[in-house]
C-alpha cells in the first residue's frame, strides 16, 4: 500500500450551489490514511456538502461553482468522476431508501463489484464478508423495500463496503437505527478501521455513539471548518456533546469524559459529593418518601384523551402489533421504545387513527395530529411559513400569532422564507412538526422526531414537547433516542415484536437495561444531568 | 418473504410469451378466461416479495378499463349497414349525430347492436388476457435475473429499465403515504379543497429527489464506469435486429406464412448468437451469481411452449372454434382438446 492510499487532501476547496447563496469553503485540510474523522455541526452547516466533495458528487451531480481541488488516494476529483472513484471511495447516503438499485439485498451489495468487473470468485467472497460484517446475512434474499429502516441502513452500508474501499464516507449512518443497530454499524466501522486501515469520514449528530470511534473531529459552521482536533477537545464544549461530558463538566472532572467507560473511571476516582442510596436521597429531595426518592414525573391522572382497547394489527399473514391496550392521558409524554421493526410506528398510527386496527378498537376523545417519519410526505408549499400557515387555512382558522409561535418554538424563524425542500433532513423534520402541531390538536403523535436533528433544534423540540404536555395536551413519541426518553418522558412503553414488554416510569423501565441512558449507567439512580444538578443543589449544566 | 423464484426469469418470459400467444391464437372468451384463471393460479403459487408483487391485479385492472373503453367507443361508432329495417340484433337506439367529414364523417350514437358490443367485448377481454400474462411475469420473475441473463450489451439499458419499473410501485406507496400525511396534518379530518396540489407536489418532488439520489448512488457505485467499446455497440444493434427478426418471425408464423417465418427465425438466431459472442468478448462488468437454467426450467419452458404450438397446429388444420363468431350471436363453443392444451400453461404450479 503506498503512502497516498486512503489519504484525502482538500486544496483551497470552495463550492457554491447553483441559484443559492449556500456555500462552503475555502477548505484546506488533509486527512491521514487510516484515520476516523467525525464531522459535526448544526443542521445546514454544510456537512453533507463537504462529505460529498470526497467522491466528487459535489460538483458533478449537483452543478454549481467549484474551485480548488480535492485529491483522494492520489486521484483528483477534477479529473475523476464519482464513478471513477468507486473502487476507492464507498459512499453511504443520508436516506438509504434511495440507494438501492436492485430489488434484492444480496445482488444490490454486489452491484459495485459487477461494475468494477471483479471476477466471480472474489465477488462471492466479498459479498459474504460484508453480509457478515454488517450482520445482514439473514436478509440476503429480501427486497430492500420490505426491510425496516435500520435493516435498510445496514444493507446500504454493506453495499458501499463491498468494493473494499480505502475511504468510506457516511452521512449520518445511525440516525435511523435503534441502539443495537447503531452499535452494530459502529462496531463494523471500527473493525474496518482497525483491521483494514480504512479511512472513515462520517457526519453524525448523536455524539454519544460516534465519539468513541473518532480519532479526529471537525466542527463545521456556515460552510467552514471552524474547529479541528482531538474529539475530546472539539466535542466537549458543544451543546450536542454526550450527556456524560455535561455530567463531567458539572462535577468538575478533568479531562472531560466522552464515553461511559471514561466517565465511570472518573466517578470511581473522584466520587461526586451526592448521595446515591434511596434513604439519603430522600433527605436531599425533601418532601418525598424514602421509598420514592424522586418525585414522580407523571402528572396527576388527567382525562383519558385517546385509548386503544386490545388493538392489534395484522398485515397479510404477519402480526405487526399484538392486541395492545394503551391509554394516553392529559399531560402525559409517552415515549415508545423498541428495536427497529418492533411495531412502534404501527402503534403510533393506531393511536392517531391513521391505521385501523384489525382487532380491538381505538377511541379518540380529541383530535390527534400525527407527524410521519418521512417529513417529505407532507411538505408541498414553497416557503416554510406558508407550509405552517396552510394547515391553519385548511382548518379554516387564521392565526398568524400561532404560526409565529410555532416557528419560534422550533427555531425556524430564520428559515421562514426558505423553500422547505432546500433544507436539511433535520430542518425539514422540524418544519413538518410545526406544520402539524400548529393545528392545535391536543394529542401529538411524533414518529422519530429527533432523527437527523442537531442539538439546538433538539433542545427547542424538547422544550416545545414539554410545554405542550404542561398546557393540557399529550405527546406520544416513537423513538430510538433513549436520552430523549430519559429527559422528558413521563411514561415509557417498550415494544418487542409487536408486544408491550415493559411499561412505566422512565426510571423503572430503563434501570438495569442494556440500553440505559448514559447518566444512569455512570451514577445510578440518576437519569439525567439535571437530576444530578438538582441533587447537588446547583442550577444545572452550564 | 422471498425475492427469488423457483424458476428462472427466462422461463417466466417463455411462459408469458406462451400465454400471450395462446390468447392471440385462441381469442374465444372461454379460452381467454381459462388462461386468466391459470394466470391467477400461477401468481398465487409463485408471487415474490418484491415491489412489483401487485403487478397482476394492477395490469388486469388496466386491461379491464381498456376493454370497457373499447366496448363503449365501438358500440357508439360501429353500426351494421341498414338496408331494410332494423339490424338483426338491435338492443336499443340512442340519439345520433354524424361528425363532419373533417373528423372522419362517422355516426356517433344511434343503434347499439348486440353483435358489435359482444365482439368488441371479446376483443377487449383478449387484451385483458395478454396484460394479465404480462402482469404474471412482473409479479413472479426477478427482473434483475432477466437483465443478468441478457447479453452483456443489454445489461446497462436493461438495468435502467428495471430501475425505472421499480419507481412505479414506490410511487404508488408514496401516494398512500402522502394521503395519510395529509389526513394526519388536520388531525384526521379530510379536506377535499386543494387536495390535488397537496398530494401531487410532495409525490412529484420526493420522486424527483429520489431519482437524483438514486442516480448519485449508482454513480458512486461505479455504474457505467467502463467506456463502451465498438464491439458493444455493434452487438447492441445485432441484438436489437435479432429481437425484431424473431418477433416478426413469430407474427409471420401466426399469419401462416411458414417459409417467411423460418427465414426470419434463422436470421434472428444468427444475429443473436453474433451479439452474444461479440459482447462476451468485451471486458468491463461482470455478473454476480448468474442463475443457471435448471432441469425444472427446461421442463416447464418446454411444456408451456407446447400450448401455443399445439393451438397453432389446431388453427392451421381449421379449428373454427378457437375464435368466437358473433354473427349470429350465439354462446361461444368450448371443446376439450384446446382447453387441455391451454391447461399446459399451468405447468409452473407443479414446481414449488
Amino acid at each position: 500500500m503506498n503512502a497516498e492510499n486512503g489519504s484525502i487532501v482538500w486544496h483551497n476547496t470552495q463550492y457554491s450551489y447553483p441559484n443559492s447563496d449556500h456555500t462552503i469553503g475555502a477548505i484546506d485540510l488533509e486527512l491521514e490514511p487510516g484515520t476516523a474523522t467525525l464531522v459535526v455541526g448544526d443542521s445546514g452547516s454544510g456537512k453533507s456538502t463537504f462529505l460529498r466533495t470526497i467522491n466528487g458528487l459535489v460538483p458533478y451531480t449537483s452543478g454549481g461553482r467549484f474551485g480548488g481541488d480535492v485529491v483522494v488516494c492520489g486521484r483528483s476529483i477534477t479529473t475523476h468522476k464519482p464513478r471513477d472513484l468507486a473502487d476507492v471511495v464507498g459512499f453511504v447516503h443520508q436516506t438509504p431508501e434511495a440507494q438501492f438499485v436492485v430489488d434484492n439485498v444480496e445482488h444490490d451489495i454486489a452491484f459495485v463489484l459487477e461494475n468494477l468487473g471483479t471476477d466471480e470468485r472474489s465477488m462471492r467472497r466479498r459479498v459474504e464478508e460484508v453480509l457478515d460484517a454488517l450482520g445482514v446475512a439473514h436478509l440476503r434474499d429480501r427486497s430492500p423495500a420490505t426491510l425496516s429502516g435500520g435493516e435498510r441502513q445496514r444493507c446500504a452500508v454493506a453495499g458501499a463496503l463491498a468494493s473494499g474501499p480505502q475511504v468510506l464516507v457516511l452521512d449520518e449512518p445511525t440516525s435511523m437505527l435503534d441502539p443495537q443497530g447503531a452499535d452494530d454499524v459502529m462496531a463494523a466501522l471500527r473493525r474496518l478501521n482497525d483491521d483494514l486501515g480504512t479511512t472513515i469520514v462520517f457526519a453524525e449528530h448523536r455524539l454519544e455513539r460516534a465519539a468513541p470511534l473518532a480519532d479526529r473531529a471537525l466542527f463545521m459552521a456556515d460552510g467552514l471548518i471552524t474547529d479541528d482536533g482531538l474529539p475530546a477537545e472539539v466535542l466537549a464544549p458543544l451543546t450536542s456533546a454526550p450527556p456524560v461530558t455535561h455530567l463531567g463538566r458539572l462535577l468538575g472532572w478533568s479531562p472531560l469524559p466522552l464515553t461511559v467507560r471514561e466517565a465511570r473511571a472518573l466517578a470511581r476516582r473522584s466520587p461526586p459529593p451526592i448521595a446515591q442510596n434511596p434513604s439519603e436521597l430522600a433527605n436531599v429531595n425533601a418532601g418525598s418518601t424514602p421509598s420514592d426518592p424522586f418525585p414522580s414525573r407523571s402528572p396527576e391522572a388527567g382525562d383519558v384523551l385517546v385509548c386503544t382497547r386490545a388493538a392489534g394489527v395484522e398485515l397479510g399473514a404477519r402480526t405487526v402489533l399484538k392486541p395492545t391496550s394503551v391509554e394516553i392521558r392529559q399531560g402525559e409524554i409517552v415515549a415508545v421504545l423498541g428495536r427497529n421493526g418492533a411495531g412502534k410506528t404501527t402503534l403510533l398510527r393506531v393511536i392517531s387513527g391513521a391505521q385501523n386496527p384489525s382487532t380491538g378498537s381505538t377511541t379518540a376523545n380529541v383530535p390527534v395530529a400525527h407527524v410521519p417519519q418521512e417529513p417529505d410526505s407532507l411538505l408541498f408549499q414553497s416557503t416554510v411559513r406558508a407550509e405552517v400557515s396552510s394547515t391553519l387555512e385548511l382548518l379554516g382558522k387564521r392565526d398568524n400569532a400561532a404560526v409565529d409561535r410555532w416557528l419560534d418554538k422550533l427555531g425556524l424563524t430564520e428559515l421562514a422564507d426558505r423553500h422547505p425542500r432546500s433544507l436539511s433532513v433535520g430542518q425539514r423534520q422540524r418544519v413538518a412538526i410545526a406544520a402539524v402541531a400548529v393545528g392545535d390538536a391536543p394529542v401529538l403523535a411524533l414518529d422519530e422526531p429527533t432523527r437527523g436533528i442537531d442539538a439546538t433544534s433538539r433542545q427547542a423540540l424538547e422544550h416545545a414537547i414539554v410545554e405542550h404536555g404542561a398546557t393540557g395536551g399529550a405527546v406520544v413519541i416513537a423513538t430510538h433516542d433513549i436520552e430523549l426518553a430519559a429527559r422528558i418522558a413521563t411514561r415509557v412503553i417498550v415494544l418487542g415484536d409487536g408486544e408491550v414488554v415493559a411499561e412505566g416510569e422512565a426510571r423503572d423501565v430503563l434501570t438495569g437495561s442494556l440500553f440505559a441512558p448514559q447518566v444512569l449507567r455512570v451514577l445510578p439512580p440518576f437519569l439525567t444531568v439535571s437530576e444530578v444538578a438538582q441533587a447537588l443543589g446547583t442550577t444545572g449544566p452550564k | 418473504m422471498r425475492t427469488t423464484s423457483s424458476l428462472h426469469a427466462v422461463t417466466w418470459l417463455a411462459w408469458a410469451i406462451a400465454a400471450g400467444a395462446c390468447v392471440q391464437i385462441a381469442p374465444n372468451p372461454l379460452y381467454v378466461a381459462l388462461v386468466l384463471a391459470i394466470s391467477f393460479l400461477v401468481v398465487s403459487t409463485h408471487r415474490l416479495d418484491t415491489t412489483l408483487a401487485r403487478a397482476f391485479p394492477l395490469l388486469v385492472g388496466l386491461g379491464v378499463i381498456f376493454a370497457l373503453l373499447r366496448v363503449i367507443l365501438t358500440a357508439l361508432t360501429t353500426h351494421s349497414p341498414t338496408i331494410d329495417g332494423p339490424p338483426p340484433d338491435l338492443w336499443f337506439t340512442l340519439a345520433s349525430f354524424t361528425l363532419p367529414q373533417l373528423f372522419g364523417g362517422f355516426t356517433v350514437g344511434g343503434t347499439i347492436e348486440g353483435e358489435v358490443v359482444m365482439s368488441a367485448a371479446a376483443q377487449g377481454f383478449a387484451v385483458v388476457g395478454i396484460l394479465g400474462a404480462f402482469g404474471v411475469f412482473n409479479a413472479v420473475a426477478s427482473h434483475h435475473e432477466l437483465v443478468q441473463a441478457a447479453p452483456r450489451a443489454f445489461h446497462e439499458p436493461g438495468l435502467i429499465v428495471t430501475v425505472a419499473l421499480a419507481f412505479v410501485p414506490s410511487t404508488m406507496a408514496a401516494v398512500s403515504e402522502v394521503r395519510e400525511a395529509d389526513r394526519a396534518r388536520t388531525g384526521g379530518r379530510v379536506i377535499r379543497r386543494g387536495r390535488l396540489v397537496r398530494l401531487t407536489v410532495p409525490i412529484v418532488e420526493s420522486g424527483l429527489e429520489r431519482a437524483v439520489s438514486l442516480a448519485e448512488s449508482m454513480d458512486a457505485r461505479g455504474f457505467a464506469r467502463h467506456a463502451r467499446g465498438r464491439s458493444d455497440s455493434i452487438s447492441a444493434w445485432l441484438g436489437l435486429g435479432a429481437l425484431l427478426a424473431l418477433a416478426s418471425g413469430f407474427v409471420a408464423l401466426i399469419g401462416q406464412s411458414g417459409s417467411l417465418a423460418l427465414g426470419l427465425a434463422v436470421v434472428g438466431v444468427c444475429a443473436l448468437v453474433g451479439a452474444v459472442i461479440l459482447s462476451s468478448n468485451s471486458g468491463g462488468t461482470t455478473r454476480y451469481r448468474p442463475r443457471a437454467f435448471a432441469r425444472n426450467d427446461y421442463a416447464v419452458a418446454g411444456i408451456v411452449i407446447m400450448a401455443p404450438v399445439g393451438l397453432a397446429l389446431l388453427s392451421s388444420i381449421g379449428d373454427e372454434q378457437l375464435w368466437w363468431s358473433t354473427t349470429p350471436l350465439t354462446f361461444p363453443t368450448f371443446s376439450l382438446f384446446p382447453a387441455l392444451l391451454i391447461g399446459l400453461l399451468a405447468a409452473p404450479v407443479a414446481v414449488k
Side-chain angles (χ1 to χ4, degrees), chain B residues 264-279:
Chain B
L264 282 168
V266 169
V267 169
V269 168
C270 288
L272 199 60
V273 169
V276 171
I277 291 173
L278 261 181
S279 66

Side-chain angles (χ1 to χ4, degrees), chain A residues 30-221:
Chain A
E30 179 167 358
L31 296 183
E32 304 275 321
T35 52
T37 307
L38 169 63
V39 185
V40 292
D42 282 348
S43 297
S45 61
K47 296 191 298 294
S48 291
T49 312
F50 171 72
L51 292 182
R52 289 151 65 89
T53 59
I54 296 175
N55 70 344
L57 284 176
V58 163
Y60 275 103
T61 59
S62 54
R65 292 164 57 84
F66 184 83
D69 197 3
V70 181
V71 180
V72 186
C73 303
R75 300 185 201 170
S76 159
I77 68 159
T78 53
T79 52
H80 290 76
K81 294 195 173 110
R83 64 187 75 153
D84 303 322
L85 295 166
D87 52 337
V88 291
V89 183
F91 188 87
V92 182
H93 257 273
Q94 201 166 9
T95 47
E97 295 90 343
Q99 195 166 332
F100 295 98
V101 179
V102 185
D103 206 12
N104 171 295
V105 168
E106 186 178 356
H107 281 273
D108 186 76
I109 291 172
F111 180 68
V112 62
L113 296 170
E114 291 183 326
N115 289 326
L116 293 176
T118 317
D119 67 273
E120 171 132 22
R121 284 180 52 185
S122 321
M123 268 201 271
R124 289 295 301 261
R125 187 174 53 82
R126 285 295 316 175
V127 171
E128 282 321 304
E129 281 173 5
V130 295
L131 281 171
D132 284 338
L134 275 303
V136 290
H138 61 294
L139 305 174
R140 65 192 310 159
D141 283 332
R142 295 272 295 272
S143 156
T146 63
L147 301 179
S148 76
E151 291 171 337
R152 224 180 278 168
Q153 179 69 278
R154 280 189 283 157
C155 292
V157 176
L161 279 183
S163 65
Q166 286 147 8
V167 176
L168 184 63
V169 183
L170 307 105
D171 198 349
E172 301 202 20
T174 69
S175 61
M176 300 174 59
L177 302 193
D178 56 20
Q180 180 61 56
D183 285 352
D184 287 350
V185 171
M186 282 298 165
L189 295 181
R190 171 169 288 268
R191 200 155 57 228
L192 286 172
N193 186 241
D194 286 350
D195 297 352
L196 304 175
T198 309
T199 309
I200 296 179
V201 190
F202 65 121
E204 187 61 75
H205 282 304
R206 295 197 198 165
L207 302 185
E208 57 267 31
R209 277 180 203 151
L213 173 69
D215 306 313
R216 182 174 175 180
L218 307 173
F219 180 78
M220 288 194 74

Side-chain angles (χ1 to χ4, degrees), chain A residues 345-401:
Chain A
T345 297
T346 309
L347 178 61
L348 215 65
R349 294 180 59 207
V350 166
I351 288 173
S352 67
Q355 165 100 49
N356 284 324
S358 335
T359 58
S361 66
T362 310
T363 320
N365 301 323
V366 291
V368 182
H370 176 210
V371 184
Q373 204 173 68
E374 208 48 72
D376 293 350
S377 49
L378 63 81
L379 304 179
F380 73 102
Q381 287 283 14
S382 55
T383 68
V384 170
R385 177 182 296 279
E387 197 68 63
V388 177
S389 60
S390 67
T391 306
L392 287 180
E393 275 163 36
L394 287 176
L395 292 169
K397 298 180 192 167
R398 185 165 287 279
D399 186 0
N400 280 329

